[in-house]
Amino acid sequence: MNDAATTTTRQRPEHASARETAALLPAGFELGVAMASYQIEGAVHEGGRGRSIWDTFSHTPGAVARGETGDVACDHYHRYREDVALMAELGVDAYRLSVAWPRLQPDGTGPVNRAGADFYSRLVDELLGAGITPVVTLYHWDLPQALEDAGGWPVRDTALRFADYAVTVQELLGDRVHRWITLNEPYCSAVLGYGTGRHAPGVRDAGRSLAAAHHLLLGHGLAVEAMRGRDRDGDYGITLNLEPVSALTDREEDRAAARRSLTLSNLLFTEPVLAGTYPEDARRLWSAVTDFSFVRDGDLETTSAELDFLGVNYYFPARVRAVPHREPDPALRAVDDLGVATPLLADDEVTEMGWPVEADGLRRLMVWLRETYPALPPVLVTENGRACADVVVDGAVDDPERIGYIDGHLRALAQAAEAGVEVRGYFTWTLLDNFEWAEGYARRFGLVHVDFETQARLPKASFSWYRELVAARAGSA
Ligand code: FCB
C-alpha cells in the first residue's frame, strides 16, 4: 500500500467540539475503536482456518445482500500492519478486536492451529509496539461450522467447547493480553441466528433460539471462571447490545408491550449475567415454545460469574407500541413475535441502517442499568457508531453526520458519568468500513473509507475529528 491516502490524513480545520467534548469526559476515560474478525480479515482459506457458520451462511443464496461474503473483506489478515498504523495515527488507547475461533481451532475443538495462532500473536505484538492495548473478544459470531453441525449453540456441549477454547486463547495470548470479552451480543447470536434466521446459521426456531441464549451465557460464565482461575489479574467481561426501552404512549397495552420488548432485548441477558436469575415473565412469554428445561441447577451461578466490566453496545432506542402478533398460534410464533412494534417517528433522524438516532438514549440506558443493578460493574461502551452514505469527493470523505453521532453519544455518556454511572471508556464502531453481516458492504460505519476493489484506506473527516478528541483528552488529562 503505497497510496499516499492510506497513510496520511488530509489537513482539516480543528473541530471545537472535539476539544469541548474531550473536556467533559471523566478522568482516565479510555478511547478506542472496535472491529471483528469475520468483518475484516478475509483470507478465509488461509493458514489452516476452518469454516465458520458465517462462511456457510454468506455463501447461501439470498442470505446476504448482493450475495456478498467475508471471503476477502478488508484483507486485514494481510494488511494488519497498515491498519494498526492507522490506529496509531488516530492515537487510540485501545483496540477491541475479535479472534476467529475457526482460525484457532478449525473444528472448534482440539489443539491450536499454529498459523492462526501466529497471526493473532503478530497482531498483538504490533498493537503493543504501537502503544495500543488489545481488548480481545473471544466470540464475535464466527462459530466453527463443525460445532454447528453438532448442534450449535442450542446444544449444551457448545458452551463447554467455548470455555475450552477461551482457555486455549488465553494460553496463547495471555502473556500479553489481559482484557477479555467473552461474547459479543449474545442477543444477535441467539435471536437473529436461531430465532429469525436473519444471521448465521439462519435457523428459525423459537425454542432453539432460547436454548441458544442460555448456552451462550453458560459458555460465557464457564469461560470467565476458567480464565480467572488461570489469571486472577485479568479483566473479564461480556458485551451485550442493550436498548433503552420505553412505551410510545401511556396506554396500558403499549406499556405492557414495552415490558415484553425489554425482556427480549435486555432482561433475557442482563438478568442471568448481572442478577443470576431469569426475567420473571420469560417462562410465561415463551411457554408455548419451551419449558426452559435447558436451565440446569447451578447454571445461573455460572452465568452470573463475577465481572470486571460490562461491555455495552448501543446504537438506537426502542420506543414500543402494542400490535397484533404476526402469528396467531403461540406454538408457531417466532421468538421475537411478542406483539410489539418499534416504529420510526416523524422527526427521527435515521441512519443508512434505518436506525433512529437518539444520543440521549445512551444516557438513559446507562442510568437504567445502574438503577436496575445496584452491583453493576464498571461499564465500557464497546460499540457505538453509525452508517452514513459516504462518498469520496476529490480524494476526501466528509461525514459530518458520523462526527455529530459520536460527539452526541460521548456527551450523553459524560452526562451518565455525571449522574454517577461508572463509565470507563468508549470504543467507536468502527475503524474500517467492513462487511456489515446480512447487509454486506453497502453499509459503511468506518472512520476510514475502504475501496473494496483496491483495498485503499482513506481516512474520513470523522477520523480527524476522533484524533483531535483523543489528543485533546490526553492533553486535558
Ligand atoms: C453490531 C455488531 C457489529 C456491527 C455493528 C454495526 O451489532 O456487533 O459487528 O455489525 O452492529
Side-chain angles (χ1 to χ4, degrees):
M1 300 300 315
N2 44 21
D3 180 345
T6 62
T7 48
T8 54
T9 312
R10 278 165 54 105
Q11 281 303 309
R12 294 192 162 269
E14 281 202 332
H15 297 268
S17 66
R19 286 194 308 277
E20 287 166 13
T21 303
L24 300 173
L25 300 174
F29 193 80
E30 180 171 58
L31 288 165
V33 287
M35 298 203 280
S37 48
Y38 187 68
Q39 295 181 275
I40 59 168
E41 286 179 3
V44 293
H45 301 298
E46 287 181 56
R49 177 184 178 278
R51 200 150 53 86
S52 87
I53 55 174
W54 268 97
D55 296 302
T56 307
F57 187 73
S58 66
H59 281 272
T60 304
V64 175
R66 296 165 302 279
E68 290 168 349
T69 74
D71 287 2
V72 178
C74 304
D75 194 29
H76 174 76
Y77 184 77
H78 297 113
R79 295 168 198 261
Y80 70 92
R81 286 202 174 83
E82 179 188 352
D83 296 336
V84 172
L86 280 165
M87 291 178 217
E89 189 183 338
L90 193 56
V92 285
D93 308 304
Y95 169 38
R96 172 176 177 242
L97 66 131
S98 84
V99 289
W101 190 345
R103 240 186 236 298
L104 293 170
Q105 288 183 321
D107 291 329
T109 174
V112 74
N113 167 41
R114 215 55 256 172
D118 288 348
F119 168 66
Y120 291 117
S121 191
R122 290 196 305 272
L123 174 57
V124 163
D125 286 345
E126 193 76 12
L127 288 165
L128 294 174
I132 300 165
T133 302
V135 178
V136 172
T137 301
L138 294 166
Y139 184 74
H140 201 125
W141 307 353
D142 33 12
L143 185 72
Q145 182 63 43
L147 292 185
E148 178 57 28
D149 295 343
W153 287 111
V155 166
R156 190 175 178 93
D157 190 55
T158 304
L160 310 182
R161 299 284 69 76
F162 177 71
D164 285 352
Y165 155 69
V167 167
T168 301
V169 183
Q170 193 184 33
E171 279 167 358
L172 202 67
L173 302 175
D175 56 336
R176 288 155 291 160
V177 173
H178 306 289
R179 295 172 62 193
W180 304 94
I181 294 172
T182 53
L183 305 175
N184 176 68
E185 302 190 351
Y187 168 94
C188 292
S189 300
V191 176
L192 305 185
Y194 295 92
T196 68
R198 185 81 181 113
H199 278 185
V203 175
R204 291 178 200 181
D205 182 319
R208 283 164 75 194
S209 166
L210 292 162
H214 182 68
H215 296 139
L216 280 151
L217 299 183
L218 182 65
H220 149 75
L222 290 170
V224 168
E225 285 171 355
M227 294 174 89
R228 203 188 287 286
R230 294 189 68 259
D231 178 9
R232 299 240 145 250
D233 298 333
D235 275 352
Y236 305 96
I238 183 172
T239 281
L240 303 178
N241 55 311
L242 301 174
E243 295 168 3
V245 180
S246 56
L248 204 51
T249 75
D250 260 346
R251 293 187 320 160
E252 180 46 37
E253 61 260 50
D254 287 341
R255 286 197 278 132
R259 171 72 203 186
R260 295 194 294 277
S261 214
L262 182 75
T263 296
L264 178 61
S265 63
N266 293 8
L267 300 176
L268 192 59
F269 302 90
T270 53
E271 292 287 290
V273 168
L274 299 172
T277 172
Y278 259 91
E280 54 190 40
D281 54 348
R283 284 175 199 269
R284 187 173 42 76
L285 278 182
W286 290 292
S287 60
V289 294
T290 181
D291 59 5
F292 283 85
S293 56
F294 46 75
V295 183
R296 299 202 190 153
D297 282 354
D299 280 4
L300 289 167
E301 272 160 46
T302 305
T303 60
S304 58
E306 190 195 340
L307 297 183
D308 298 293
F309 64 92
L310 176 70
V312 174
N313 292 354
Y314 171 71
Y315 288 93
F316 52 81
R319 294 110 6 138
V320 184
R321 72 181 165 87
V323 293
H325 292 279
R326 302 192 296 273
E327 165 59 55
D329 181 351
L332 300 177
R333 258 176 216 157
V335 69
D336 65 340
D337 187 358
L338 296 176
V340 302
T342 52
L344 290 174
L345 308 183
D347 57 352
D348 274 341
E349 181 186 354
V350 177
T351 73
E352 288 294 290
M353 293 293 282
W355 296 343
V357 175
E358 200 200 311
D360 189 59
L362 181 55
R363 183 193 60 78
R364 287 189 284 113
L365 175 60
M366 293 291 133
V367 169
W368 175 80
L369 272 171
R370 208 235 1 226
E371 286 175 352
T372 310
Y373 301 104
L376 183 72
V379 174
L380 274 184
V381 173
T382 41
E383 285 181 31
N384 174 251
R386 68 168 283 174
C388 297
D390 298 320
V391 279
V392 182
V393 178
D394 295 335
V397 178
D398 211 10
D399 55 347
E401 300 88 357
R402 182 170 291 107
I403 294 173
Y405 185 97
I406 297 174
D407 190 33
H409 285 76
L410 279 168
R411 285 168 184 250
L413 214 47
Q415 286 176 7
E418 194 70 12
V421 186
E422 194 178 348
V423 197
R424 293 253 176 101
Y426 173 95
F427 292 67
T428 198
W429 183 270
T430 182
L431 181 73
L432 303 176
D433 291 340
N434 60 44
F435 176 75
E436 179 45 40
W437 308 113
E439 308 296 335
Y441 292 96
R443 300 286 178 267
R444 295 178 176 272
F445 276 86
L447 301 180
V448 175
H449 182 274
V450 176
D451 178 331
F452 293 105
E453 296 295 314
T454 63
Q455 291 294 344
R457 274 76 163 140
L458 175 67
K460 305 175 191 175
S462 56
F463 182 97
S464 308
W465 184 89
Y466 205 65
R467 190 181 53 182
E468 284 166 24
L469 174 89
V470 176
R473 188 281 329 257
S476 68

